[in-house]
């Protein structure tokens, strides 16, 4: 079983493009049984040279991430075009993610590389695919999926950053590092209801202590839209820190948000 968290973990393969993509898919789906991929790597063996392989990743049965080869299989390429969406809400379409500096045909043997980062903890999953090489910025494609009861909520973003994002930036699910750090707006897949996190705590705990509740509330136009139990609301913490509570260790994924990691 994969670790609950992973930061900038190398996924690489020396061989054909099909072998690299297979390695990538197996690594990502191996993080959790809740993550699935549609689209077979056998697309690379199609006799139709106009084929453009594409692969869609779903979490808890909800499609959120699509990787599409930048060119058809007769053409040299060195990247996937990645789209991020939640239900009917398309967030980003065909943003580049390069695996090498040199374009090659799929059958050419070479070394191709992506990085992935993740938090996979029960009903909470954060997944990031990061470019293997820098090209006018380091490309990051990030999705988050939270299951609470029979409901599922998602959001995500794409960014070209000036470095590989530090762990405490990447693992922040309150504010995105884009466009003036807008808040995450989570989308309920079945109803389309959206909400952003609002902490119940407007005070700081005494040193060495922390107050928390075993859920997090999300609001829309000042009204509570929904709450989730996979994220805890708490008094102020440092993003990226591990916090010990009575029932185990928790990772701070926002200034007032915790996710269980042990």
């Amino acid at each position: 079983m994969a670790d609950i968290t992973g930061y900038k973990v190398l996924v690489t393969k020396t061989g054909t493009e099909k072998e690299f993509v297979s390695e990538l898919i197996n690594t990502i789906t191996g993080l959790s049984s809740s993550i699935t991929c549609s689209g077979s790597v056998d697309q690379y063996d199609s006799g139709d040279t106009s084929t453009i392989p594409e692969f869609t990743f779903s979490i808890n049965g909800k499609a959120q991430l699509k990787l599409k080869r930048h060119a058809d299989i007769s053409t040299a390429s060195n990247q996937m075009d990645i789209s991020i969406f939640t239900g009917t809400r398309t967030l980003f379409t065909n943003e580049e993610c390069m695996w090498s500096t040199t374009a090659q045909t799929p059958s050419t043997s070479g070394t191709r590389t992506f990085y992935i980062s993740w938090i996979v903890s029960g009903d909470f999953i954060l997944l990031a695919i990061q470019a293997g090489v820098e090209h006018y910025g380091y490309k990051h494609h990030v999705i988050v999926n939270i299951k609470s009861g029979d409901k599922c909520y998602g959001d995500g973003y794409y960014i070209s950053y000036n470095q590989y994002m530090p762990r405490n930036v990447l693992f922040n699910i309150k504010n995105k590092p884009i466009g003036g750090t807008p808040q995450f707006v989570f989308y309920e897949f079945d109803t389309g209801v959206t909400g952003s996190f609002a902490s119940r705590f407007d005070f700081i705990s005494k040193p060495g202590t922390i107050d928390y509740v075993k859920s997090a509330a999300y609001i829309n136009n000042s009204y509570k839209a929904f709450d989730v139990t996979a994220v805890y609301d708490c008094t102020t913490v440092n993003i990226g820190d591990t916090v010990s509570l009575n029932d185990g260790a928790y990772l701070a994924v926002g200034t007032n948000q915790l996710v269980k990691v042990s």
Side-chain angles (χ1 to χ4, degrees):
M1 178 180 291
D3 292 338
I4 292 175
T5 66
Y7 172 68
K8 198 186 170 191
V9 174
L10 182 68
V11 180
T12 188
K13 191 74 173 179
T14 299
T16 65
E17 188 177 318
K18 176 183 176 180
E19 291 173 317
F20 167 66
V21 173
S22 181
E23 180 78 8
L24 177 67
I25 291 172
N26 290 339
T27 301
I28 292 174
T29 57
L31 298 175
S32 169
S33 59
S34 298
I35 304 176
T36 59
C37 179
S38 62
S40 170
V41 293
D42 290 341
Q43 293 172 86
Y44 283 100
D45 301 324
S46 170
D48 182 357
T49 56
S50 66
T51 297
I52 302 176
E54 60 179 61
F55 310 90
T56 299
F57 290 89
S58 298
I59 303 176
N60 292 310
K62 309 300 183 182
Q64 285 191 255
L65 185 75
K66 181 170 76 174
L67 279 63
K68 182 178 180 180
R69 194 175 193 272
H70 185 66
D72 64 55
I73 57 175
S74 70
T75 307
S77 182
N78 60 345
Q79 72 180 65
M80 287 287 187
D81 294 335
I82 298 183
S83 300
I84 298 172
F85 40 87
T86 51
T88 59
R89 186 179 64 163
T90 299
L91 303 176
F92 293 94
T93 303
N94 293 332
E95 297 290 353
E96 70 171 24
C97 196
M98 296 177 63
W99 59 62
S100 65
T101 56
T102 303
Q104 296 175 311
T105 59
S107 60
T108 301
S109 182
T111 300
R112 298 169 176 89
T113 296
F114 279 157
Y115 293 98
I116 64 169
S117 299
W118 69 86
I119 305 171
V120 175
S121 177
D123 291 331
F124 179 93
I125 294 178
L126 178 151
L127 171 66
I129 297 179
Q130 299 144 294
V133 295
E134 192 276 339
H135 180 67
Y136 302 116
Y138 294 85
K139 316 301 183 181
H140 300 72
H141 308 261
V142 183
I143 57 173
V144 180
N145 184 287
I146 303 172
K147 189 174 184 294
S148 188
D150 61 352
K151 301 293 185 181
C152 200
Y153 307 88
D155 197 13
Y157 64 89
Y158 157 81
I159 186 173
S160 181
Y161 209 67
N162 61 2
Q163 59 178 311
Y164 285 110
M165 281 196 293
R167 188 173 180 272
N168 66 327
V169 176
L170 183 63
F171 288 170
N172 181 355
I173 66 161
K174 181 181 180 183
N175 292 324
K176 304 174 185 179
I178 59 175
T181 60
Q183 277 193 281
F184 274 79
V185 178
F186 283 91
Y187 176 102
E188 202 282 293
F189 285 93
D190 294 331
T191 65
V193 171
T194 59
S196 55
F197 174 72
S199 180
R200 301 172 176 92
F201 294 95
D202 58 2
F203 60 88
I204 299 174
S205 295
K206 293 179 181 179
T209 66
I210 186 170
D211 290 274
Y212 63 93
V213 291
K214 296 182 177 183
S215 65
Y218 289 79
I219 65 170
N220 188 319
N221 293 324
S222 299
Y223 291 91
K224 187 168 82 168
F226 51 83
D227 56 16
V228 301
T229 55
V231 180
Y232 286 9
D233 185 3
C234 65
T235 47
T236 303
V237 288
N238 295 317
I239 301 170
D241 281 2
T242 300
V243 176
S244 294
L245 301 182
N246 290 335
D247 62 342
Y250 286 73
L251 179 68
V253 292
T255 53
N256 298 89
Q257 292 168 282
L258 299 173
V259 170
K260 198 172 194 306
V261 291
S262 73

